[in-house]
Amino acid sequence: MTSVTVRLPDETYRRLDEIARVRGTSIDRLFDEMAALMVAESDAEARFRTRARRGQGKAERGLGLLSQAAGQRGED
């Protein structure tokens, strides 16, 4: 595990300490959770961008498929 030193304004530290106490955890654990959320968010954005690139230039085909599916649905 890697150790990181973070310099925070006193007020920010006090607020984080209060949040940690209310949640029954430590400031270290809060930072661990925040970092995990940021990594997950970054991974999700990367997946979205990859899928968006794969779909470029395929809008008409997709809309055609949706239109076709809507037409078949109306026939039921």
Side-chain angles (χ1 to χ4, degrees), residues 1 26-39:
M1 183 175 281
S26 66
I27 292 178
D28 286 348
R29 183 71 184 139
L30 287 181
F31 273 97
D32 182 43
E33 291 172 8
M34 286 187 289
L37 286 171
M38 290 181 75
V39 168

Side-chain angles (χ1 to χ4, degrees), residues 55-76:
Q56 279 184 324
K58 298 180 182 178
E60 281 192 39
R61 179 175 181 266
L63 291 172
L65 290 171
L66 285 173
S67 180
Q68 182 182 2
Q72 289 176 354
R73 199 171 188 189
E75 294 173 6
D76 291 342

Side-chain angles (χ1 to χ4, degrees), residues 3 8-9 18-19 25 31-32 41 43 63-64 69:
S3 181
L8 299 170
E18 181 181 327
I19 292 167
T25 191
F31 273 97
D32 182 43
E41 182 180 289
D43 290 348
L63 291 172

